[in-house]
């Protein structure tokens, strides 16, 4: 597989991963954890893209809490290309800054936007899909989104409604819908032309910069000012002073929705169906399901411990390294122990773990977040 001359992977790594508390903390966010193997999530994200781009072309947008750990985990990345936002402003300013920076470096740059915490089962097919997407994105003012074929009526994802065939496997996009209710999600799945929005996009730096100038002009102007100082002594201060003035908005709301409103032929947004075993590991429940699908453990129990005894126990997830675990007559539990905290919930309620972090923030219990 050839490395693409003008391809620049941009990895967004600014989230806290609150639903993976108590393992995930401000300085050890979800993307810095090894949840699926020995490498951390962000290390895996970089490794699977290396067939397409040399490490010197990678950029990471993160925060001050995570940057030191990312530099340690990814020592080959140029330090100047691991940018820490002075304040979180959502995905539009983050990827927008990368667009204006790369437009100055290479007018033909094609950007791949990748979250830092996804799991990909078939990395060869993943790269092949991206190769096709890069080709579409580099040929005009096109935006490519990787769409995941839904296997259930999931309400936690955004959906892409596809239209007619564009070229190859790429489909025109009619519209984006954010996290529908259960009834609507079921209708989307039954319709057959809807995909989950993976959050992975391909576009030229010029296309994204122009789209931001059109749909988010105030923020675009700020980002251009910041980018103009990159590589100079003024960059850090300019970044710190101006970036918080950007609008706090996702790229989906800022660019994709207004652009798709132009109509499926005029928007130049295309969905590339992706079939490479994708999972965003959004909760302890999702992590449990992912590992059960891979390893089919006894009665669906996944236990990290120094020893274990199970009796009439089913579908439990227990993380207690260094401890002997005995689980008797319990089902569907999630138990996660760290040195200073213990989480006990059910697989059904694991989506609510973020509320614990919100409570700890409100009570200013900073040592636990």
């Amino acid at each position: 597989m050839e490395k693409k001359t003008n391809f620049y992977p941009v990895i967004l790594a600014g989230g806290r991963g609150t639903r993976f508390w108590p393992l995930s903390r401000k300085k050890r966010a979800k993307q810095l954890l090894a949840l699926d193997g020995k490498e951390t999530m962000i290390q895996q994200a970089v490794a699977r893209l290396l067939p397409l781009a040399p490490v010197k072309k990678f950029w990471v947008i993160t925060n001050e809490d995570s940057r030191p750990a990312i530099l340690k985990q990814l020592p080959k990345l140029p330090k100047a290309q691991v940018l820490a936002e002075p304040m979180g402003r959502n995905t539009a300013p983050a990827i927008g800054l990368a667009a204006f920076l790369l437009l100055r470096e290479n007018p033909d740059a094609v950007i791949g936007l990748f979250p830092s915490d996804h799991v990909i089962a078939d990395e060869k097919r993943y790269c092949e899909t991206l190769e096709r997407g890069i080709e579409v994105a580099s040929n005009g003012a096109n935006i490519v989104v990787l769409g995941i074929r839904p296997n259930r009526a999931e309400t936690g994802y955004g959906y892409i409604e596809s239209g007619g065939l564009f070229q190859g496997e790429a489909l025109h996009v009619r519209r984006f819908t954010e996290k529908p209710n259960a009834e609507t999600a079921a209708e989307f799945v039954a319709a057959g032309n809807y995909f989950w929005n993976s959050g992975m996009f391909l576009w030229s730096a010029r296309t994204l910069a122009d789209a931001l100038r059109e749909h988010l002009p105030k923020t675009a102007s700020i980002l251009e000012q910041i980018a103009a100082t990159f590589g100079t002594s003024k960059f850090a201060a300019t970044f710190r002073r101006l970036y918080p003035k950007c609008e706090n908005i996702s790229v989906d709301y800022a660019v994709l929705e207004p652009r798709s409103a132009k109509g499926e032929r005029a928007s130049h947004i295309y969905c590339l169906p992706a079939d490479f075993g994708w999972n965003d590991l959004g909760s302890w429940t999702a992590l449990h399901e992912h590992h059960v699908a891979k390893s089919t453990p006894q009665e669906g129990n996944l236990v990290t411990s120094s020893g274990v005894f199970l009796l009439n126990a089913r579908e439990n997830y227990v993380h207690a390294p260094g401890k002997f675990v005995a689980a008797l007559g319990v089902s569907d539990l999630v138990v996660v122990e760290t040195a200073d905290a213990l989480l006990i919930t059910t697989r059904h309620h694991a989506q609510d773990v973020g509320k614990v972090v919100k409570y700890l923030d409100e009570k200013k219990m900073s040592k636990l977040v």
Side-chain angles (χ1 to χ4, degrees):
M1 191 166 290
E2 291 183 14
K3 295 189 188 297
K4 302 299 175 184
T5 308
N6 296 319
F7 179 55
Y8 295 78
V10 177
I11 297 174
L12 299 188
R16 288 172 61 183
T18 57
R19 283 180 290 181
F20 278 92
W21 184 90
L23 274 191
S24 181
R25 306 291 177 97
K26 273 188 177 181
K27 294 185 183 295
R28 193 178 68 243
K30 173 186 171 186
Q31 59 268 22
L32 300 171
L33 300 176
L35 297 175
D36 184 45
K38 293 182 179 179
E39 288 191 318
T40 65
M41 305 299 285
I42 194 167
Q43 285 174 329
Q44 291 183 28
V46 169
R48 61 176 167 257
L49 287 164
L50 283 174
L52 297 174
V55 72
K56 66 181 181 180
K57 290 193 174 180
F58 281 72
W59 290 72
V60 176
I61 314 294
T62 184
N63 52 52
E64 293 288 356
D65 289 321
S66 296
R67 187 173 186 268
I70 290 173
L71 290 173
K72 188 174 181 180
Q73 290 189 9
L74 301 172
K76 294 184 178 179
L77 258 67
K79 288 185 178 181
Q81 291 169 207
V82 179
L83 299 175
E85 297 173 292
M87 177 185 290
R89 306 312 287 155
N90 216 313
T91 56
I95 190 62
L97 178 59
F100 285 110
L101 287 168
L102 288 170
L103 189 58
R104 294 173 63 85
E105 179 177 326
N106 179 356
D108 297 319
V110 173
I111 295 173
L113 166 58
F114 304 97
S116 57
D117 54 2
H118 289 179
V119 169
I120 304 296
D122 189 337
E123 296 187 1
K124 182 174 183 291
R125 183 173 288 186
Y126 171 76
C127 287
E128 290 170 350
T129 303
L130 287 175
E131 281 190 312
R132 292 193 290 274
I134 292 167
E135 184 179 346
V136 174
S138 61
N139 187 24
N142 299 328
I143 295 175
V144 179
V145 55
L146 301 194
I148 310 299
R149 294 186 189 279
N151 55 17
R152 63 185 185 278
E154 174 62 54
T155 60
Y157 299 145
Y159 283 73
I160 306 159
E161 182 185 2
S162 66
L165 190 66
F166 170 58
Q167 63 181 43
E169 299 169 25
L171 303 164
H172 288 276
V173 168
R174 288 178 180 161
R175 62 170 175 156
F176 294 85
T177 302
E178 278 301 304
K179 299 181 180 178
N181 60 32
E183 183 181 356
T184 303
E187 291 174 0
F188 287 173
V189 174
N193 66 322
Y194 285 80
F195 298 82
W196 289 336
N197 185 347
S198 69
M200 291 182 276
F201 300 94
L202 298 157
W203 34 37
S204 71
R206 187 180 305 282
T207 295
L208 180 53
D210 287 344
L212 287 165
R213 290 184 184 117
E214 178 181 357
H215 300 295
L216 210 65
K218 178 185 171 185
T219 290
S221 175
I222 293 168
L223 296 174
E224 283 196 85
Q225 292 177 63
I226 297 170
T229 66
F230 186 73
T232 74
S233 59
K234 296 180 180 179
F235 176 72
T238 304
F239 192 18
R240 198 163 46 245
R241 177 173 56 86
L242 293 183
Y243 194 79
K245 297 180 181 180
C246 292
E247 291 155 88
N248 186 5
I249 187 171
S250 71
V251 73
D252 301 69
Y253 282 121
V255 172
L256 299 174
E257 289 200 2
R259 179 124 172 193
S260 65
K262 294 181 178 183
E264 74 173 81
R265 298 286 168 174
S267 69
H268 296 284
I269 305 177
Y270 306 102
C271 173
L272 201 56
D275 183 22
F276 40 62
W278 172 88
N279 196 319
D280 75 339
L281 296 187
S283 67
W284 289 114
T285 301
L287 182 64
H288 173 266
E289 291 172 351
H290 173 68
H291 283 295
V292 166
K294 282 176 43 174
S295 60
T296 58
Q298 178 187 355
E299 299 295 326
N301 293 294
L302 282 167
V303 182
T304 302
S305 64
S306 62
V308 63
F309 175 78
L310 301 169
L311 180 64
N312 297 325
R314 294 175 54 84
E315 303 292 338
N316 297 293
Y317 183 95
V318 182
H319 179 89
K323 300 284 177 65
F324 182 89
V325 171
L328 314 175
V330 292
S331 300
D332 298 312
L333 287 182
V334 173
V335 181
V336 181
E337 182 189 54
T338 63
D340 59 354
L342 175 65
L343 168 69
I344 305 171
T345 185
T346 64
R347 292 171 61 232
H348 179 69
H349 286 94
Q351 290 280 2
D352 293 330
V353 172
K355 295 177 182 178
V356 179
V357 179
K358 183 179 179 182
Y359 169 84
L360 295 172
D361 281 335
E362 289 171 351
K363 297 297 182 181
K364 302 191 186 310
M365 300 170 72
S366 57
K367 289 184 178 179
L368 290 173
V369 296

